[in-house]
Amino acid sequence: MNNKKIKNDLNHQAIGAIRYIGLKAIQEAKGGHVGMTISAAPITYTLFTKFIKLNPQDGKWINRDRFVLSGGHGSMSLYPIFYFSNLLTLDDIKKFKTEDSKTPGHPEYENEADNFIDASTGPLGQGFATAVGMAIAQKHISNKLGKYSDLIDNFTYVVCGDGDLQEGITYEASAIAGKYELNKLIVLHDSNKYQLDSSVEKVSIENLKQRFESNNWNYLKCSNDPKEIEAAIKKAHSSKSKPTFIEVETIIAEGLKSQSSNKGHHGVVNDDDLDQFLKYHHLNFKDWNIDSKIIEHFQKNVADRGNKEVQKWNSKLNKAIKDKEFHELWNTLVSSIDYEKLFANIKISENNLATRVYLKTFLQSIKDFNPFVIATCADLVSSTNVAITEETILENGQSLPIGIREFAMGAIINGISLYAKGAKAIGGTFLVFADYIKSAIRLGALMKTPSIYAFTHDSYLVGGDGPTHQPYDQLPMLRAIENLNVYRPADEEELRYALIAAFNSFTYSSAIILSRQNIKSLNSTIKHSDIEKGVHIVKECKNPDYVIAASGSEVQLALQVAQDIENIKVISVPCLDLAIQMSEKEKNKHFKAKKLFLTLEASADYKWFGLHLNHQNNYHIGAYTFGKSMDGDLLYNQKGFNKQSILKLLKKYN
Amino acid sequence: MNNKKIKNDLNHQAIGAIRYIGLKAIQEAKGGHVGMTISAAPITYTLFTKFIKLNPQDGKWINRDRFVLSGGHGSMSLYPIFYFSNLLTLDDIKKFKTEDSKTPGHPEYENEADNFIDASTGPLGQGFATAVGMAIAQKHISNKLGKYSDLIDNFTYVVCGDGDLQEGITYEASAIAGKYELNKLIVLHDSNKYQLDSSVEKVSIENLKQRFESNNWNYLKCSNDPKEIEAAIKKAHSSKSKPTFIEVETIIAEGLKSQSSNKGHHGVVNDDDLDQFLKYHHLNFKDWNIDSKIIEHFQKNVADRGNKEVQKWNSKLNKAIKDKEFHELWNTLVSSIDYEKLFANIKISENNLATRVYLKTFLQSIKDFNPFVIATCADLVSSTNVAITEETILENGQSLPIGIREFAMGAIINGISLYAKGAKAIGGTFLVFADYIKSAIRLGALMKTPSIYAFTHDSYLVGGDGPTHQPYDQLPMLRAIENLNVYRPADEEELRYALIAAFNSFTYSSAIILSRQNIKSLNSTIKHSDIEKGVHIVKECKNPDYVIAASGSEVQLALQVAQDIENIKVISVPCLDLAIQMSEKEKNKHFKAKKLFLTLEASADYKWFGLHLNHQNNYHIGAYTFGKSMDGDLLYNQKGFNKQSILKLLKKYN
């Protein structure tokens, strides 16, 4: 079988080379996603050779066009382009899916100059939404640069599959992209009509044109001919206010025996398959060899073209930074600035308030400090105080009202955070709705994005809204994620340090857990070094009979208990994730008690047991059950968070 | 201010009574969602007095029309109707949001005859998707009843707000509803144009007509005049193959000073507000009194109408069950059947396989045992084996291909499980994508629905697909949820018992964690009583020096270690959630070791520390970091899951 209609021009051969090398790598790795490797290649080819501006010397060049392969399993429709363009070696390709290779199964972002991946993808739908975040960052930053706005004028391109489009997060993200008029966002749909289990139509009868137009997008459709794809992208470029969705009609696993069936989604590749593929496509490749004219074509149209663009841009930038005011602004965007300088000096005029209340003062101060930071919130600004300005980013402010779209919010925060060092983002909702965002929080942490969340309404103390709104199971979920620091400050000073740590980070994400209800301020001095270890001694005692360690809302309860007990030490643990990393020696120093070491938190997090010391009496009071719709204080009390029952427990160890 | 256009007829007064009593209850509770209480009342009024069939004697009557208030914060647009219809008392209304009242802040489902709530709601979007599950159950069950299909012919109604519509899960659920032609699903949109932070248009410019029509729905629009609402619902009833979305143009907080603004979303109510409300609406209520003619109107049109419908249906049923074959089928639907009778007898022909492989055999056996059970899967049937039949429910089978829509899948499973005792549902995806479903799993557990999940690809051993696909942080997330039993069977026999427990449940949800890779079968006898306690002794030893407790994939590793150690006991813990509930005495019996008690799991779950015994040497080997795209076995080994490093550890305690 071969396809007689094929126009065997350079485009076809170059696309064939991507597919062939992709298949070879999959053969080497003993399996992979052949379907999208083949079907998406005309799209990635057209994008990279005709449009995408990249800097071969610096994968993290700030004004590069962003490219997100939302269907990350199609990574082999991308890696061969990098190889042909001299951004990866053939050896990298051969090491597909092996340890520490530059070609992992799904594309992996690293904040390194030799990494050309703009976002880690794999969990479907999130690449699309992350790209929306990048396009928001581009638009916002460009606006803030005033007359130098064209220094940040990149496009954001996404290649997605039907799986991405079925995920709810892509609808949420589309709604935001349409509302915020992200005309520099272009999504190309590898519409190959099959997914893992079946044809797409077996599970989706959606009219994509109606779908995208309903949210203020352009919808275009074209074949998989690179000329048609090019024309469609050019049309998309001319859009003044709408993002563009391009449905590219492709053929899954074209040229393999599994072509045009769900069996083509993934599989192994043998020599016969390769022969069949080459014959079908009228190609003559052998082993790992690709004709030099094809390689040259990529070198010229990807790498050389990129270099020229970078040169032009550099000269523009060099002119601009002669303007001192602009130079300073630019530095805020591209270098790391120390938020301790900002937050350490914020005066809190009233204390003993809910920790969510202080947040307002801290966040509003960011406005004059860094205009690139964006605060977003899932329709709960008045409850969470997560806003920097009243004005939205469309009104030259720094707030991004996002509607009740938590999951997309998470991915968008990741996308903004990935954009530039200065482009931080903080997002807010109730702690219990962190559930909706879990996978985006995880993906951000995996990428080590400094994404920041403020999760308020921290416990049963939420009260009357009932068990659907009362968190108890969210802290263990969050604290199980590597590269995510969960802070649960007990007052405004602990919040101050949590914010400094969160905003100064470039290697981890942060979740700051805040109370709905007022908490008595600790009025104790915090040493930064203690906070860095996750602990803060709020009532010191040498050789204590009892030590209580608690977090957030429970610290004041521990202090109440301590009023009635002699020889007791109370430790606030604003960051258990850090505290648990202490050495045994340090843990002994902090937590050793003659009678009992008690840990206390209104959550189901057994991680507190990790502070417990072998061979001494330890006890943990946690919360393992759903709450109730009733007064929060009464409920909290009922669940064992009251002075009397804790005193009773301590007395047992007398 | 008063509204001069008001037609002060009985409809208006009855709607006014709902709103007034709602506001009174909110006043009593010192706060609540006044906006939707007022705006949604014409919709709930029309539904309950004109359409919804309910059984006043049994809130759980199987053929009742289902009603889901997806915007659960609007509970006071519902409770007053129940009060007027004698399903709640005035005292219940006055106890709004207080302990153990029948009027919690958000509606709460209980499986009790005096509970008229069909699904707990609050986390936005999920009510909508849960209702899709109910409508699927209705359609499937009705089909399976053959010539008696009209015994299950209820409609499913949803009232939702803009917040619901912004959540991604409602798009996912809409796509499913359109694809499965759920013509008996009718969604009424309380389109009041404001949400908590702002007007809707500030965050959404979506064309709802296009949106719903793009997924094979009817779109209708009407005013908040009950006559218009009635006409729209009647039109929806005539739909032969499409679900219907009715946008009802309502007015938020109409008659309060916060009318038509986001400030009307929620707040407190004082006497002046009530006076203003009554004046605006030309109403004359006082204190808690409502005119008897209004009460009679509800009694007649809700309760009496319901009673008549139930009578008619009872006589139909009584005739039908004279058909013995049908009677047996009906019993399968409405009574609890013992799945031990099924699963205990399933023969597994080959062992030492991946635990996901056995699942196929077990699930396929359900077909002849209970035709009402539905298996659904997020486009991973070939990987997870979660299917009962090859045929979908539209082809008279028992499988529900759902596309890559994990979150909606969770809510749909909840909806199916809520429908009837016999209507079980099991859903499958990779463990790492449990992240997408977390909130639905939680909501199901809160309702105590027997929802069942099969999460495969349990650990780093997933391999080359990389860290986005390798779970390590999901088990603590799941095990933190009350009423959810997480099973991680170590072989086919443990799986057998996990399935029996999961399918026999009526009070908890279950997540069964399965391996991608082959595991050596334990070939040991399991006592049911042990499994019920969550533990299974796979290598016995009296007065052991060492005890190792592990789960799933790690049990065979523990057994490998045990080969080189004398005096060692190995315990499989297929359900840590149950094991942890053992008394101290039982834990001592099982886990006491002379030298070391070691727990072992390739997850970040500190819950294992809850098995540790005070005053003895305990150690836990867990997995706290992201994996890598590489060979799964090598990675597992690198992360410390290998015989050598465990032996080394044990020797330290010699």
Side-chain angles (χ1 to χ4, degrees), chain B residues 371-433:
Chain B
F372 305 114
V373 178
I374 291 175
T376 179
C377 189
D379 198 39
L380 286 170
V381 168
S382 59
S383 298
T384 62
N385 293 311
V386 179
I388 295 173
T389 58
E390 281 204 21
E391 299 76 27
T392 74
I393 60 164
L394 293 177
E395 300 154 348
N396 205 28
Q398 291 178 247
S399 287
L400 180 79
I402 206 159
I404 306 181
R405 304 180 176 103
E406 294 88 355
F407 193 9
M409 180 176 78
I412 286 169
I413 289 171
N414 290 340
I416 295 170
S417 308
L418 285 166
Y419 194 90
K421 274 192 172 174
K424 302 268 178 179
I426 179 168
T429 185
F430 292 158
L431 175 56
V432 81
F433 300 131

Side-chain angles (χ1 to χ4, degrees), chain A residues 537-574:
Chain A
I537 297 158
V538 294
K539 185 179 182 307
E540 187 52 287
C541 173
K542 291 206 169 154
N543 296 317
D545 288 336
Y546 301 97
V547 177
I548 307 185
S551 80
S553 300
E554 281 72 75
V555 175
Q556 69 173 13
L557 177 59
L559 285 170
Q560 282 167 29
V561 169
Q563 286 171 346
D564 288 21
I565 301 271
E566 285 182 38
N567 235 1
I568 187 168
K569 181 172 167 182
V570 177
I571 302 181
S572 172
V573 184

Side-chain angles (χ1 to χ4, degrees), chain A residues 33 97-100 104-106 108 121-124 126 163 166-168 171-172 178-179 195-197 201-207 210-211 213-216 379-382 392 401-407 432-433 435-436 438-439 442-443 445-446 464-465 467-474 476-477 480-483 580 604 606-607 609 614-618 624-626 628-630 638, chain B residues 33 97-100 104-106 108 121-124 126 163 166-168 171-172 178-179 195-197 201-207 210-211 213-216 379-382 392 401-407 432-433 435-436 438-439 442-443 445-446 464-465 467-474 476-477 480-483 580 604 606-607 609 614-618 624-626 628-630 638:
Chain A
H33 292 89
K97 297 201 271 188
T98 64
E99 189 174 2
D100 296 330
H106 294 80
E108 291 182 18
T121 48
L124 290 176
Q126 288 191 63
Q166 287 162 23
E167 293 285 5
Y171 296 86
E172 292 180 6
K179 165 70 200 169
Q195 48 196 80
L196 199 147
D197 276 342
E201 67 181 2
K202 189 161 181 185
V203 291
S204 268
I205 51 171
E206 188 167 64
N207 180 320
Q210 269 184 310
R211 165 180 170 174
E213 287 182 350
S214 76
N215 262 312
N216 198 37
D379 198 39
L380 285 171
V381 168
S382 59
T392 73
I402 207 159
I404 306 180
R405 303 180 177 104
E406 294 87 356
F407 193 10
V432 81
F433 299 132
D435 288 355
Y436 280 60
K438 161 77 201 295
S439 189
R442 182 188 204 266
L443 190 58
L446 175 60
D465 274 339
T468 56
H469 284 57
Q470 295 160 350
Y472 70 95
D473 49 322
Q474 282 65 32
M477 170 180 92
I481 304 172
E482 191 194 1
N483 307 332
I580 211 160
Y606 282 85
K607 195 164 187 172
F609 285 70
N614 266 328
H615 293 284
Q616 85 159 25
N617 279 318
N618 304 296
Y624 307 103
T625 51
F626 286 108
K628 276 184 186 179
S629 172
M630 61 183 282
Q638 265 184 22
Chain B
H33 293 89
K97 297 201 270 188
T98 64
E99 189 175 3
D100 297 330
H106 294 80
E108 292 182 17
T121 49
L124 291 176
Q126 288 190 64
Q166 287 163 22
E167 294 285 5
Y171 296 86
E172 291 180 5
K179 166 68 201 170
Q195 49 196 80
L196 199 147
D197 277 342
E201 67 181 2
K202 190 160 180 186
V203 292
S204 269
I205 52 171
E206 188 168 65
N207 181 319
Q210 269 184 310
R211 166 180 169 174
E213 287 182 350
S214 76
N215 263 312
N216 198 36
D379 198 39
L380 286 170
V381 168
S382 59
T392 74
I402 206 159
I404 306 181
R405 304 180 176 103
E406 294 88 355
F407 193 9
V432 81
F433 300 131
D435 287 357
Y436 280 60
K438 162 77 201 294
S439 189
R442 182 189 205 266
L443 191 57
L446 175 61
D465 274 339
T468 56
H469 283 57
Q470 293 160 350
Y472 70 95
D473 49 322
Q474 282 64 33
M477 171 181 92
I481 303 171
E482 191 195 1
N483 306 333
I580 212 161
Y606 283 85
K607 196 164 187 172
F609 285 71
N614 267 329
H615 294 284
Q616 85 158 24
N617 279 319
N618 304 297
Y624 307 102
T625 52
F626 286 108
K628 277 183 185 178
S629 171
M630 61 184 281
Q638 265 185 21

